[in-house]
Amino acid sequence: MEKLSSIISTIDDFVWGPVMLVLLVGTGIFLTFRTRFLTWRNLGYALKSTLSKEARTKNRGEGDVSPFSALTTALAATIGTGNIVGVATAMVSGGPGALVWMWISAAFGLTSKFSECMLAIKYREVNEKGEMSGGPMYTMKKGLKNKKLGAVLAWLFALFAVIASFGIGNMTQGNSIASALKSTFSVPSWITGIIITVLSLCIIVGGIKSISKVSSVVVPLMAIFYVICGLIVIIGNISNLPAGIAMIFKMAFSTKAVGGGLCGTIVASMMNAMRYGVARGVFSNEAGMGSAAITAAAATTDNPVRQGYINMTGTFWDTIVVCTITGLAIASSGVLGATDAAGNMLTGSDVTIAAFKTILGSAGGWLVAVGITLFAFSTILGWEYHGEKAFEYLLGTHKYNMIYRVVFSLVAYVGCTQSLSLVWNFSDIANALMAIPNLICMLLLSGEIAHDIKAFQPEIKGR
């Protein structure tokens, strides 16, 4: 078993290594240039559309849920433990400069997210139940000229998406909730497991409409709650903020930088900052993975480009807003490089908890634990829909979706109660392997993406 664990761990390190990160960010850079930076130029329009009253209605076009609900369900899956634990991990392993590389990967990730979501709506289908079914697997099957290649890529994407939904989208999240509640409130893991399973069942059995109803309320509330708490910490440590920001930028581009004083003694190279920043950024916002595109396909819209812009803002909210709050709270609080009572360096959620405690005291630890619980639970809901649609595609029918929903909810209990390093690594590999067919598909259809985004431009200018 140990040998298998070590093999899986080696494969995991390889698939999430430099080649994968270059592929993910490189595709985003290529698409951004190919679309003549329209995703950047129209970010204001996209944010305004997302927050408009119209985005909450189903007046324009066809679909299962409102444009805003489609975005919040996708955000439910992406705003997760990566925003709290992932940022801290990146800043400990890659130095404070990793935050800058998270921003850079998110900037190009905007175009990847736009492209995959826009194509998913363009090539979506209506299943026998009258529900929308879409995502990269349908784009590959219908959009690629080489039908054999399209069919193979689509099948592989759907298979990896199902595996990832049980791992990264379910067990990993359940485990994060259980450990956060156990260490902060001493709640036994089996009790957390039962509560999470029952709650998941109640919501998931109702399908996308039920999931999106919960997501459209929970996601904005939890994000606002966390951002406010984070801002209180940043304002409380405002005197350290300029030095913290200077350190972030200095260490992002320094070949060999030593962070002293405010950031503890951290030695990190630019390559390290880049590696961890990009990896954790991509892990957090999932741009290029293709997962958000599955949810985008359920949106009510009359134009794929319009909804593509709305879904694209998911990367902005996730990384530029929520991850930045975590990063600045950590950088301004001086907890990087700090050690615990046993003399071990703080890592993961402990870093974020320590940062929040500098201003909020013991309440800071509770708030981070509540944040992790809400973020992780919403991720379980969002990923269930991703996995269900991929499962439906593999079987060619929606008839077994209810079985998937029940099994998915029960698996959350396993995640809460077991230590699953092997499962974590295995699902991490599946998550990376999902991205490869999706990126190939977007590169092959880049001309179509550029044409469609340009054709929509007069509508934005006419406003």
Side-chain angles (χ1 to χ4, degrees):
M1 192 69 179
E2 264 182 37
K3 198 173 181 188
L4 177 67
S5 243
S6 138
I7 292 167
I8 296 281
S9 184
T10 310
I11 296 169
D12 186 25
D13 289 343
F14 174 75
V15 295
W16 275 108
V19 177
M20 185 67 200
L21 300 178
V22 166
L23 246 177
L24 275 162
V25 180
T27 302
I29 293 170
F30 173 75
L31 291 170
T32 303
F33 276 89
R34 186 94 204 244
T35 56
R36 297 184 180 178
F37 293 86
L38 280 173
T39 48
W40 291 11
R41 284 153 55 190
N42 294 328
L43 180 60
Y45 159 79
L47 292 170
K48 204 172 160 188
S49 300
T50 304
L51 301 171
S52 70
K53 273 187 185 169
E54 190 183 37
R56 287 168 177 74
T57 65
K58 294 203 284 178
N59 299 340
R60 187 181 277 195
E62 294 174 355
D64 296 334
V65 295
S66 73
F68 182 74
S69 292
L71 170 67
T72 51
T73 306
L75 268 175
T78 54
I79 293 187
T81 50
N83 299 77
I84 297 175
V85 184
V87 177
T89 305
M91 291 175 79
V92 168
S93 307
L99 190 60
V100 173
W101 291 101
M102 284 183 102
W103 294 333
I104 292 168
S105 74
F108 292 108
L110 280 173
T111 318
S112 303
K113 186 70 70 89
F114 166 84
S115 304
E116 61 196 15
C117 292
M118 187 274 280
L119 289 169
I121 297 154
K122 187 172 181 178
Y123 291 107
R124 65 187 178 180
E125 295 177 358
V126 179
N127 68 15
E128 311 106 88
K129 208 177 168 189
E131 294 173 341
M132 291 294 176
S133 292
M137 53 277 191
Y138 291 92
T139 305
M140 293 161 196
K141 185 180 84 168
K142 296 167 75 177
L144 295 178
K145 286 192 174 74
N146 184 329
K147 295 300 170 195
K148 196 169 267 186
L149 174 70
V152 171
L153 290 178
W155 191 85
L156 287 171
F157 175 87
L159 176 69
F160 294 135
V162 171
I163 296 168
S165 75
F166 281 104
I168 226 85
N170 185 338
M171 291 195 212
T172 311
Q173 307 302 326
N175 206 277
S176 299
I177 295 170
S179 52
L181 294 181
K182 192 174 184 179
S183 60
T184 313
F185 304 110
S186 305
V187 179
S189 297
W190 65 271
I191 290 181
T192 304
I194 290 170
I195 294 168
I196 296 296
T197 302
V198 171
L199 277 177
S200 301
L201 258 177
C202 292
I203 299 164
I204 287 167
V205 166
I208 181 64
K209 289 182 178 163
S210 169
I211 293 169
S212 72
K213 255 183 203 162
V214 175
S215 299
S216 59
V217 175
V218 172
V219 172
L221 281 179
M222 73 181 188
I224 291 165
F225 159 78
Y226 182 73
V227 165
I228 289 170
C229 295
L231 284 172
I232 291 168
V233 174
I234 294 165
I235 292 163
N237 290 315
I238 199 84
S239 57
N240 296 333
L241 191 60
I245 291 172
M247 186 68 72
I248 285 168
F249 281 98
K250 191 170 145 198
M251 291 182 74
F253 304 106
S254 183
T255 45
K256 201 78 180 170
V258 180
L262 185 74
C263 294
T265 22
I266 290 180
V267 180
S269 66
M270 174 179 158
M271 290 310 292
N272 227 19
M274 190 191 296
R275 185 191 156 198
Y276 283 100
V278 171
R280 290 294 138 196
V282 165
F283 183 82
S284 177
N285 62 48
E286 294 178 15
M289 296 285 174
S291 47
I294 299 173
T295 314
T300 302
T301 187
D302 61 344
N303 191 306
V305 177
R306 192 189 313 281
Q307 185 62 29
Y309 275 124
I310 289 175
N311 266 82
M312 165 187 100
T313 64
T315 301
F316 174 85
W317 299 119
D318 178 275
T319 308
I320 308 295
V321 177
V322 184
C323 287
T324 300
I325 293 289
T326 305
L328 293 181
I330 291 169
S332 64
S333 60
V335 296
L336 271 184
T339 53
D340 59 17
N344 301 315
M345 192 161 134
L346 294 179
T347 56
S349 59
D350 291 339
V351 178
T352 314
I353 287 169
F356 274 60
K357 276 185 173 176
T358 58
I359 299 299
L360 301 166
S362 56
W366 305 339
L367 291 168
V368 173
V370 170
I372 287 174
T373 303
L374 288 173
F375 282 20
F377 181 66
S378 74
T379 300
I380 291 172
L381 299 182
W383 261 98
E384 188 283 330
Y385 184 70
H386 296 161
E388 179 185 310
K389 284 295 168 185
F391 182 72
E392 181 183 316
Y393 180 85
L394 287 174
L395 296 185
T397 175
H398 71 282
K399 287 173 186 168
Y400 305 105
N401 285 8
M402 192 57 77
I403 295 170
Y404 176 89
R405 291 172 191 177
V406 173
V407 171
F408 187 89
S409 302
L410 296 175
V411 165
Y413 180 82
V414 180
C416 290
T417 53
Q418 305 296 317
S419 176
L420 301 152
S421 56
L422 183 68
V423 174
W424 283 38
N425 286 339
F426 189 66
S427 64
D428 215 14
I429 293 165
N431 210 5
L433 293 177
M434 271 174 73
I436 295 168
N438 186 48
L439 296 172
I440 293 168
C441 175
M442 286 198 290
L443 289 169
L444 290 174
L445 296 177
S446 60
E448 199 174 310
I449 295 163
H451 172 271
D452 289 3
I453 196 171
K454 191 181 171 192
F456 188 76
Q457 198 57 15
E459 179 146 347
I460 297 174
K461 285 187 173 165
R463 280 177 164 247

